[in-house]
Amino acid sequence: MKHETPIDHLIKHLSHLPGLGARSARRAALHLLQKREEKLMPLIASLQQAADTIKICSSCGNLDHTDPCRICMDPKRQHGALCIVAHIADLWAIERTGSFQGRYFVLGGVLSALDGVTIEDLKLHQLKEKIAKEQVSEIIIALSATFEAQATSHVILDLLKDSPIPISRLAHGVPVGGELDYLDDGTISTALKSRTGF
Amino acid sequence: MKHETPIDHLIKHLSHLPGLGARSARRAALHLLQKREEKLMPLIASLQQAADTIKICSSCGNLDHTDPCRICMDPKRQHGALCIVAHIADLWAIERTGSFQGRYFVLGGVLSALDGVTIEDLKLHQLKEKIAKEQVSEIIIALSATFEAQATSHVILDLLKDSPIPISRLAHGVPVGGELDYLDDGTISTALKSRTGF
């Protein structure tokens, strides 16, 4: 068993998926190989279909089978509101809530000295272009509450400092369903400072 | 987003993998779609290669790209020792230890009233045939220590009751590295009864 067999090869590629380690990749490979017709072949087909059809939306950076994506093309969405997110996963997370009816812009990451992400790596130029070209009446910066994301917010604010468009960010506070006792001090003091009336 | 899009389709199929839930399937899909050339295409290729080449060994029930599998064909292995396992995963687990040099037979499961697995569902007939045909000098029943597996062991013992071949089973006891305090009473009392000299 010195050179890599097709099974080893499959396990290696499955173990590269986020969420699957070596052990679960082995389980997944066995599962697929034992249910060839019901599981393996449909998975190959859906991966191939995704590879063939999914593209990056040239307007917002989302992934979809159409370009522009269905969100950018949807005439029912408020074209004025633009929500800036760091990653596509964040866009999908907000979409799942169903509580935002505007459109998005995927920045492609946040500044990070650790990961070597600089201002040049973010799609700031495209963002400015999009805002200039389209009729944007409100900008929501929906970045995480990490230090890197906050630094990125400031870069965006700086980029748009001459624009009259109102800019807001996500509220900080106690997560819904969260217990005070388990929250960090920073969140509790922020929630206290930003307290709202009943 | 009423009908299933290629992305939904992909996420659904990924979420069927053991170890991946809906959330991690979404992460995996995004990861694959964002790294098309480095991740998605190689994964499709390795799945397709596995689908094309991997077959079930007609001699032992293992999965391999050759039939008989490389274990059954290896002239360096002791042909006399036969290890009976319930699942292919168990065979792989024993193989990983490198401490068994004989061959295997995959039973295909254990008796289970809950899962509706009866004697007819196990490959007992093929097992008896294999033992009659090949020169087996020792049989090791390597099943789990569950009630169902023990019942299955008794069925195998009954099947081979007229055979002069010595039959053994895996030792029960304290797992290596395991702490007594965290072990169940059954294991501790079995380990005590089966105590060995230094």
Side-chain angles (χ1 to χ4, degrees):
Chain A
M1 300 204 186
K2 273 107 205 171
H3 57 268
E4 204 172 52
T5 69
I7 293 184
D8 299 338
H9 201 67
L10 175 60
I11 293 173
K12 193 186 79 183
H13 282 289
L14 285 171
S15 72
H16 290 170
L17 288 177
L20 282 187
R23 184 181 288 254
S24 40
R26 217 154 44 214
R27 273 181 59 213
L30 251 178
H31 173 82
L32 288 171
L33 289 168
Q34 288 182 305
K35 301 196 168 176
R36 197 164 304 214
E37 295 309 319
E38 308 99 289
K39 302 285 175 183
L40 179 54
M41 301 318 291
L43 177 62
I44 293 177
S46 67
L47 284 165
Q48 189 63 57
Q49 188 195 28
D52 294 343
T53 59
I54 309 295
K55 28 198 165 284
I56 292 173
C57 172
S58 54
S59 174
C60 73
N62 188 16
L63 282 167
D64 207 348
H65 59 280
T66 60
D67 176 23
C69 73
R70 284 166 301 151
I71 295 172
C72 285
M73 286 202 303
D74 189 346
K76 287 202 289 288
R77 298 191 76 115
Q78 301 161 19
H79 275 214
L82 186 69
C83 180
I84 302 173
V85 292
H87 305 285
I88 297 170
D90 302 331
L91 187 163
W92 289 7
I94 296 174
E95 248 339 76
R96 280 199 298 280
T97 70
S99 52
F100 178 66
Q101 292 305 316
R103 283 171 309 149
Y104 297 91
F105 184 81
V106 180
L107 209 54
V110 291
L111 295 175
S112 166
L114 212 62
D115 299 330
V117 180
T118 65
I119 290 185
E120 282 74 41
D121 298 315
L122 304 179
K123 294 192 281 175
L124 293 168
H125 180 71
Q126 289 97 309
L127 172 63
K128 202 163 180 182
E129 219 170 40
K130 186 180 172 80
I131 293 171
K133 212 171 57 186
E134 301 178 13
Q135 290 190 323
V136 175
S137 55
E138 183 195 356
I139 292 171
I140 300 157
I141 301 182
L143 300 183
S144 300
T146 60
F147 175 73
E148 287 87 356
Q150 296 309 307
T152 312
S153 293
H154 283 289
V155 171
I156 300 173
L157 288 176
D158 195 51
L159 183 81
L160 304 173
K161 65 176 182 291
D162 301 326
S163 154
I165 305 169
I167 303 176
S168 58
R169 61 165 194 183
L170 295 183
H172 291 333
V174 182
V176 176
E179 294 198 45
L180 273 194
D181 198 15
Y182 290 94
L183 275 177
D184 63 295
D185 298 353
T187 303
I188 294 178
S189 62
T190 306
L192 203 56
K193 263 185 251 163
S194 317
R195 62 191 176 276
T196 58
F198 281 95
Chain B
M1 302 205 188
K2 273 108 201 167
H3 57 269
E4 204 172 55
T5 68
I7 292 184
D8 299 338
H9 203 64
L10 175 60
I11 293 173
K12 194 186 78 184
H13 282 288
L14 285 172
S15 72
H16 289 170
L17 289 177
L20 282 187
R23 184 181 288 255
S24 40
R26 218 155 43 215
R27 273 181 60 213
L30 251 178
H31 173 82
L32 289 170
L33 289 167
Q34 289 181 303
K35 302 195 167 176
R36 196 164 305 212
E37 295 309 319
E38 309 99 289
K39 302 284 175 184
L40 179 54
M41 301 318 291
L43 177 62
I44 293 177
S46 68
L47 284 164
Q48 189 63 57
Q49 188 197 28
D52 294 342
T53 60
I54 309 295
K55 28 199 165 285
I56 291 173
C57 172
S58 53
S59 174
C60 74
N62 188 15
L63 282 167
D64 207 347
H65 59 281
T66 61
D67 177 21
C69 73
R70 285 166 302 150
I71 295 173
C72 286
M73 285 202 302
D74 189 345
K76 287 202 289 288
R77 297 190 77 114
Q78 301 162 18
H79 275 214
L82 185 70
C83 179
I84 302 172
V85 293
H87 306 285
I88 298 170
D90 303 330
L91 187 163
W92 289 7
I94 297 175
E95 252 334 80
R96 279 200 299 280
T97 69
S99 52
F100 178 66
Q101 292 305 317
R103 283 171 309 149
Y104 296 91
F105 183 80
V106 181
L107 210 53
V110 292
L111 295 175
S112 166
L114 211 62
D115 299 330
V117 181
T118 65
I119 291 185
E120 282 73 41
D121 298 315
L122 304 180
K123 294 192 281 174
L124 292 168
H125 181 70
Q126 290 98 308
L127 173 62
K128 205 166 178 178
E129 219 169 42
K130 186 181 173 80
I131 293 171
K133 211 170 58 187
E134 300 178 14
Q135 290 190 325
V136 175
S137 55
E138 184 195 355
I139 291 170
I140 300 158
I141 301 182
L143 300 183
S144 300
T146 61
F147 175 74
E148 287 87 355
Q150 297 307 309
T152 311
S153 294
H154 284 289
V155 170
I156 300 172
L157 289 175
D158 195 51
L159 182 81
L160 304 173
K161 65 174 183 289
D162 300 326
S163 155
I165 305 169
I167 302 176
S168 58
R169 60 164 194 184
L170 295 183
H172 290 335
V174 183
V176 176
E179 294 199 44
L180 274 193
D181 198 17
Y182 290 95
L183 274 177
D184 63 295
D185 299 352
T187 303
I188 294 179
S189 63
T190 306
L192 202 56
K193 263 185 251 164
S194 316
R195 61 191 176 277
T196 57
F198 281 98

